Amino acid sequence: MSSNSASNSAYAASLVAATALAKTLSSPLPPLPPPSSYDGHVYEPSDDTYLMVDAIAHHLSTSSSSPTKVLEIGTGSGCNIVKAAQCLEGKGEFMATDINPKAIEAAMALWKATFDGSSSPPPTLQTFESDLLAGQSELDLLIFNPPYVPTPSSEISGSGIEVSWAGGVDGREVIDRALPIIKAGVAEGGVVLMILVDENKPEEVIKMWGKGEVLVRRRARNEMLNVVRLWK
């Protein structure tokens, strides 16, 4: 068997394992507000959010060490960064970025609804109305549900809700621009959890990064969602 054939077989086997793992996971969600509260301006929690919540809970419950500096890019509703903080019992530094100011407001509202009064003092969330890392570095865990839907390139610019899904050609334009910036911001030994669909060619993204795997995989209507786990 050639090295390429062996690699393809190993990747196919990993997808089977990731699909099987996803079927065993059903982590509780943070206390989400009614959908009407997002008023069409913020990406509502959906199947990709729920898969990421499962991936976060599984990763943190099976990791040999706990991250102390956690950032979510494009936080949207804030569901994923809140889940990470819940899993870590509020211990650490938590940050979230989004270029949509309405998303920043929604994330902070969910954070306060979840943690205010839960401990003394409650954990804090730093938010940045910014693209990507907002200058942060030495991150132990980075969470990213990028705009992955294949669209015309013209749709990826803007600051409203549409930028939460428009990914350009192959859904990869934002992802490919972000990868080297993310890699520079993640600490040695740090981990990235990122949502991709099959159209984004996850195996290619993993090879571009250098070291990683498809952690969990689940079909949602017309999409095959993957959470890839990338190590630095």
Side-chain angles (χ1 to χ4, degrees):
M1 181 182 293
S2 69
S3 59
N4 282 343
S5 296
S7 176
N8 291 340
S9 295
Y11 180 70
S14 74
L15 296 185
V16 172
T19 302
L21 176 60
K23 292 178 180 178
T24 71
L25 303 176
S26 183
S27 185
L29 295 171
L32 299 174
S36 60
S37 67
Y38 299 116
D39 198 27
H41 297 298
V42 177
Y43 184 74
E44 295 178 24
S46 189
D47 293 306
D48 49 359
T49 315
Y50 309 148
L51 184 62
M52 179 62 87
V53 162
D54 285 342
I56 290 167
H58 177 73
H59 168 71
L60 292 175
S61 67
T62 58
S63 176
S64 59
S65 60
S66 294
T68 58
K69 196 171 183 180
V70 183
L71 182 143
E72 182 181 17
I73 296 174
T75 191
S77 67
C79 186
N80 292 323
I81 190 66
V82 167
K83 185 62 181 183
Q86 286 180 315
C87 291
L88 293 168
E89 299 180 339
K91 298 173 183 176
E93 185 178 356
F94 302 97
M95 296 165 285
T97 70
D98 206 297
I99 61 175
N100 180 356
K102 294 292 187 181
I104 293 294
E105 292 175 12
M108 185 57 74
L110 179 61
W111 185 275
K112 290 179 178 179
T114 305
F115 294 113
D116 279 6
S118 63
S119 61
S120 181
T124 59
L125 175 66
Q126 290 180 269
T127 59
F128 304 91
E129 190 179 322
S130 173
D131 189 14
L132 299 178
L133 302 184
Q136 299 301 311
S137 61
E138 295 299 307
L139 301 165
D140 300 310
L141 175 62
L142 188 142
I143 301 162
F144 191 20
N145 184 353
Y148 56 69
V149 177
T151 65
S153 297
S154 60
E155 293 186 17
I156 65 176
S157 60
S159 59
I161 190 173
E162 70 280 356
V163 300
S164 65
W165 64 71
V169 177
D170 291 333
R172 283 276 298 276
E173 291 188 48
V174 175
I175 293 167
D176 287 355
R177 177 174 67 87
L179 279 178
I181 298 170
I182 290 172
K183 198 164 191 175
V186 173
E188 289 298 323
V191 171
V192 176
L193 296 176
M194 180 167 60
I195 287 274
L196 297 173
V197 292
D198 281 0
E199 289 82 357
N200 304 146
K201 305 172 185 176
E203 185 178 19
E204 185 175 288
V205 172
I206 292 169
K207 288 179 179 177
M208 286 174 60
W209 179 271
K211 184 180 180 183
E213 64 177 354
V214 176
L215 177 62
V216 289
R217 174 176 167 86
R218 182 181 295 153
R219 178 167 292 284
R221 295 182 287 276
N222 63 330
E223 295 179 328
M224 183 58 81
L225 299 167
N226 306 268
V227 174
V228 298
R229 178 164 57 181
L230 308 172
W231 292 280
K232 184 174 177 183

